[in-house]
Structure formats: structure tokens, C-alpha cells
Amino acid sequence: MIDLLQAFPWLFVLAAGVTGLSVGSFLNVVIHRLPRMMQRDWQAQCRQLLELPAEVNRHLPSERAEPLRFNLIVPRSRCPQCGHLITALENIPLLSYLALKGKCSACGARISPRYPAVELLTAILSAAAAAHFGFTWLSAAALLFTWSLIALTFIDLEHQLLPDSITLPLLWGGLLLSITGVFVDSRDAIIGAVAGYLALWAVYWLFKLATGKEGMGQGDFKLLAMLGAWLGWQALPVVILLSSLVGAVVGLSMVLFLGRDKNIPIPFGPYLAAAGWLALIWGKELTDAYLHLAGLA
């Protein structure tokens, strides 16, 4: 099988795309459940601090009451409207959504288009990463990086939250990978992580001192630090420039054309994630273009 994938690069790209569909289905679970798991954990800590009994499953008889279990595996996925358990045939990536015409098979409630969008996006970006890096260990690392950024993007869009449980392991993973020089060496990775964190930390405090308001969440610091660990400090100017430019254009468009209240915060994480992925694939080309436009090359 390995020889076959090496002999036919297109087959490896296809396999990465198909794998991306399945991973995208799992990412939907992460996007939906991880913020709720964090909320339940915070509530449990509060109940423990207040010496209140743990929340139990009220669907069981009182004599069999037990603490609620909620993680990425249990309980089984179900329709939020009618409680219909999602069967295996209704959970085939992309195809099930099309076959069901975007509706629950039991009650006809609309299924969020986010589910097929995440699956399709994961498949496309996985195939693109595989095509760029080929059948190498670089592809394995790039796929993990890509999948994590997709999860962070949609969680931040929906909840304005960048979970440490994704960002921090990825940060440490980038630093460990730098030992082998997979993308950058350890020197560039360490400087990138520190510079990435401090860059947005400084912006945060300057904005807060000037306006008395918080301009961004601290999860953005950690995300840029993670990108610096994976891509090196040299990629940070391009990542910051791209994310700021796209964020400003999108934000202004939403205010001017969609009537969005300008006081409602817009998550910055998705723009950092998009810029980071572009820098992973075309980092050298983007950096060269940036230096040329800035008159530094």
C-alpha cells in the first residue's frame, strides 16, 4: 500500500481528501461538544466550590441516579429538536446531509449547513496539504496542523473561544517538531512562539490602556504563539498582516452591508488560523512578496 501511494501521488492526495471527510465529521463533534464540555467542567467546579451535589442524569430512576457523562464519545449524537438518535447511515460525511436534504429524518428540523461545510473544507484542505508536501512526514504534520486550525476556527466563530486543550498541545507539538527541523529549526520556533505571544499581548495592553476595553481575547495570544512555533518567527509579519487585513475587510463589510452592530466583537482567531495555514503552504512565497512590497528585498 505504501509503495502504491508513493508510485501514484494523485492516489495519496485522493486518500487524504477522503480521510479529510471522515476527520471533518469528527471535527464537527469537537466543535459542538468541546465548548459544552468546558462549560460543564466550569459548572462542576462551581458546584464543588459551593458544596452542591453533582448534577445527575434525571432520566434515570432516583435510586440509579448517576453523574451526567458528556464527552467526545458519549452520549450518542441526536437531533437537538426531537432527540432522534443519529444512525450510522445518517452519519456518512457529506452524503447523508445530501440524502436527507439537510433535514432530520424524524422531525424534519433543519440541520445546520455548518456540518457539511466543515466536512467539505477539511477534505479540500487535507488534499491541498497532501498535494503540496507529498507522501512524507511533512504531510502528516501538516494534516494535524490543518485539522486543529479548522476546529479552532469554527469554535471561535460560534463561541468566541479558543480552547487551551487544542492550542497548547499544538504549541508544544510545534516546538518538539522543531527539534527535527520538520518545518523550522528550534531557534526560529522558540523565538516565533515568544514573539507571537508578546506581539498580541502588547497590542492587547496598549488598546486596553488607551480605551479601557479589551480588544481581543487572550486565546489569540496563544494561537499566534502556536503559529510562531510551527512556522518560525519569519512568518509572523505575514500572518499578522494577512489576518489583520482580512479581518478589517470582513468586519467593515459586515457593519456596512449587513448592519452588524460595530460594538459586537468579531473573533480574530479564524483570520489568524487562515493566515497561518496559508503561511504553512506558501510561506516562502508570501514572505518574499511581503519583503518585495516593503522594499526590503
Side-chain angles (χ1 to χ4, degrees):
M1 185 63 179
I2 294 178
D3 293 337
L4 188 63
L5 293 176
Q6 289 176 328
F8 299 97
W10 64 267
L11 189 59
F12 174 60
V13 173
L14 179 61
V18 173
T19 301
L21 279 176
S22 298
V23 172
S25 180
F26 175 71
L27 291 182
N28 274 317
V29 176
V30 175
I31 293 164
H32 176 77
R33 295 195 180 193
L34 184 55
R36 291 164 176 81
M37 289 165 56
M38 296 172 65
Q39 182 181 27
R40 285 169 176 257
D41 185 53
W42 297 332
Q43 291 173 342
Q45 292 180 32
C46 291
R47 297 178 74 90
Q48 185 177 14
L49 183 63
L50 296 172
E51 298 183 351
L52 296 174
E55 188 176 7
V56 297
N57 190 341
R58 295 181 178 84
H59 296 290
L60 295 175
S62 57
E63 65 273 11
R64 294 179 53 220
E66 58 184 26
L68 286 171
R69 293 183 62 201
F70 187 85
N71 52 47
L72 298 180
I73 301 175
V74 294
R76 282 178 53 188
S77 298
R78 61 179 66 234
C79 172
Q81 297 297 322
C82 67
H84 166 69
L85 289 174
I86 307 301
T87 66
L89 289 178
E90 294 171 339
N91 206 28
I92 301 173
L94 201 57
L95 296 180
S96 292
Y97 183 86
L98 296 175
L100 294 170
K101 299 180 180 179
K103 297 180 181 179
C104 172
S105 61
C107 68
R110 179 175 172 269
I111 301 172
S112 171
R114 187 257 288 167
Y115 291 94
V118 168
E119 292 167 354
L120 184 60
L121 178 64
T122 306
I124 292 173
L125 296 188
S126 297
H132 182 80
F133 292 107
F135 189 69
T136 64
W137 286 110
L138 286 172
S139 280
L143 289 173
L144 177 62
F145 183 81
T146 299
W147 299 337
S148 300
L149 289 182
I150 291 173
L152 288 169
T153 293
F154 283 89
I155 290 174
D156 203 22
L157 283 172
E158 292 189 10
H159 301 278
Q160 296 187 7
L161 177 71
L162 293 168
D164 287 349
S165 55
I166 297 177
T167 307
L168 294 185
L170 212 60
L171 168 61
W172 292 112
L175 293 175
L176 288 174
L177 280 175
S178 71
I179 296 174
T180 62
V182 172
F183 295 112
V184 295
D185 60 33
S186 293
R187 177 178 179 274
D188 291 343
I190 293 171
I191 295 175
V194 174
Y197 187 91
L198 291 180
L200 293 187
W201 178 87
V203 171
Y204 169 88
W205 279 107
L206 287 173
F207 185 84
K208 187 170 184 177
L209 290 173
T211 66
K213 301 178 181 179
E214 296 184 355
M216 65 178 64
Q218 297 186 22
D220 296 322
F221 312 167
K222 302 168 191 175
L223 177 55
L224 189 57
M226 181 272 287
L227 295 177
W230 278 73
L231 307 174
W233 63 268
Q234 298 90 338
L236 291 179
V238 170
V239 170
I240 294 173
L241 181 64
L242 279 177
S243 57
S244 300
L245 179 62
V246 175
V249 171
V250 172
L252 287 174
S253 299
M254 293 176 69
V255 171
L256 294 175
F257 302 112
L258 299 180
R260 181 188 176 98
D261 187 346
K262 63 181 180 181
N263 293 318
I264 298 177
I266 297 175
F268 190 47
Y271 308 116
L272 283 174
W277 189 85
L278 291 173
L280 175 74
I281 304 298
W282 296 292
K284 186 179 185 304
E285 293 83 352
L286 291 171
T287 301
D288 291 345
Y290 167 78
L291 294 175
H292 179 74
L293 289 173
L296 300 175

